[in-house]
Amino acid sequence: MDFFNTLGTLGTLYVAFLVYKNAPNWFHQKMDEHAFTLAKELITDLHPKLFMSNRKFNSILEDHTTYYYHSNYDDAYNYFTSTLNEKKLSYQQNHDLMFKIKTTIDSLEKLGWKLKSPSQTYHKKFLRDLIHFISTLKQIDNAIKKIDELISHSSSDEDFNKIESKKREFFEMLKTLVTFDECEKSYKSFIGSANLVPDYFDITNIKT
């Protein structure tokens, strides 16, 4: 009886030893599975989603000169803001997507997946251009909020004249803002720098 108990104990110890021995491989496999999920989301979802949203925003900015053909700035402003609402475009949405891209890159690096050259170079350029364009959207967002606040508190002819002046300044400001051209070029360079999702990355095994 003691013989069988000893044999069972030895068997349990052997299984435990195999589990211990293979634990690092299992751990790395799970890390790579998680990293691939993040990388796939980054390349095939987050980047295209932000690119298309910014592109739609930019198309509205490029068309802003057509608003001058309206009979007055009220019509022009209402048309501009309603177009943004209809297309469900906002500064905050694009800012949040950009932030998620940056945090996903950081998470991937911690998992041993780092963008490699030339993808890394193109991506850094893309982020710099993106920050400039997002700052443009922030300026527009702030201007719209200020005008809408004036409208909500207006009660006199003087207030209405001030609103009209602010709307005129708004369209003059649009002429001076950064366009999406450079951002689009750097995005296409980044996306075109590899074919498959893993090809964008140097993948290293993190020692445990």
Side-chain angles (χ1 to χ4, degrees):
M1 191 72 173
D2 289 340
F3 170 77
F4 289 111
N5 286 336
T6 302
L7 194 62
T9 301
L10 289 173
T12 301
L13 288 172
Y14 179 69
V15 170
F17 170 74
L18 290 179
V19 171
Y20 172 77
K21 184 179 180 181
N22 291 319
N25 292 333
W26 177 87
F27 180 72
H28 287 307
Q29 180 184 344
K30 290 300 177 183
M31 284 181 65
D32 282 342
E33 287 175 2
H34 181 52
F36 179 76
T37 299
L38 289 178
K40 181 182 176 183
E41 182 187 25
L42 178 75
I43 303 299
T44 66
D45 181 43
L46 296 178
H47 271 102
K49 189 181 293 182
L50 180 57
F51 173 75
M52 290 308 300
S53 181
N54 282 332
R55 198 178 202 182
K56 289 176 183 177
F57 224 126
N58 189 64
S59 69
I60 297 172
L61 297 182
E62 288 182 339
D63 291 342
H64 77 272
T65 52
T66 62
Y67 304 142
Y68 287 95
Y69 294 105
H70 288 267
S71 58
N72 57 53
Y73 284 105
D74 283 334
D75 287 343
Y77 179 79
N78 291 338
Y79 182 66
F80 184 91
T81 54
S82 65
T83 302
L84 292 183
N85 291 331
E86 286 169 12
K87 294 183 180 292
K88 297 180 180 179
L89 299 173
S90 71
Y91 152 76
Q92 194 61 53
Q93 171 186 299
N94 289 21
H95 175 273
D96 291 348
L97 274 172
M98 179 180 69
F99 183 75
K100 188 169 184 181
I101 285 174
K102 292 171 71 176
T103 56
T104 301
I105 291 287
D106 292 341
S107 297
L108 282 165
E109 289 186 0
K110 287 181 172 63
L111 291 168
W113 285 48
K114 186 175 182 179
L115 286 171
K116 64 183 179 183
S117 184
S119 299
Q120 184 184 51
T121 302
Y122 290 137
H123 194 265
K124 285 182 177 179
K125 172 74 164 56
F126 171 63
L127 282 182
R128 286 196 300 271
D129 294 336
L130 187 60
I131 288 170
H132 288 148
F133 185 71
I134 294 291
S135 68
T136 287
L137 304 189
K138 178 64 173 175
Q139 286 179 264
I140 294 170
D141 185 66
N142 286 340
I144 290 174
K145 285 178 179 176
K146 288 178 181 178
I147 292 172
D148 288 349
E149 186 177 1
L150 283 173
I151 293 172
S152 66
H153 294 91
S154 61
S155 58
S156 65
D157 289 341
E158 183 180 348
D159 290 334
F160 288 117
N161 290 335
K162 189 174 182 180
I163 291 168
E164 185 75 7
S165 175
K166 286 293 181 183
K167 289 178 178 178
R168 186 182 302 109
E169 290 174 10
F170 175 78
F171 285 105
E172 290 299 325
M173 177 192 72
L174 292 186
K175 293 180 180 180
T176 68
L177 297 180
V178 174
T179 66
F180 190 58
D181 294 348
E182 285 302 313
C183 209
E184 183 167 1
K185 290 176 186 175
S186 53
Y187 168 80
K188 288 181 177 179
S189 295
F190 168 66
I191 290 298
S193 64
N195 293 319
L196 303 176
V197 169
D199 295 341
Y200 290 89
F201 300 89
D202 273 326
I203 303 171
T204 58
N205 289 322
I206 299 176
K207 294 181 179 180
T208 58

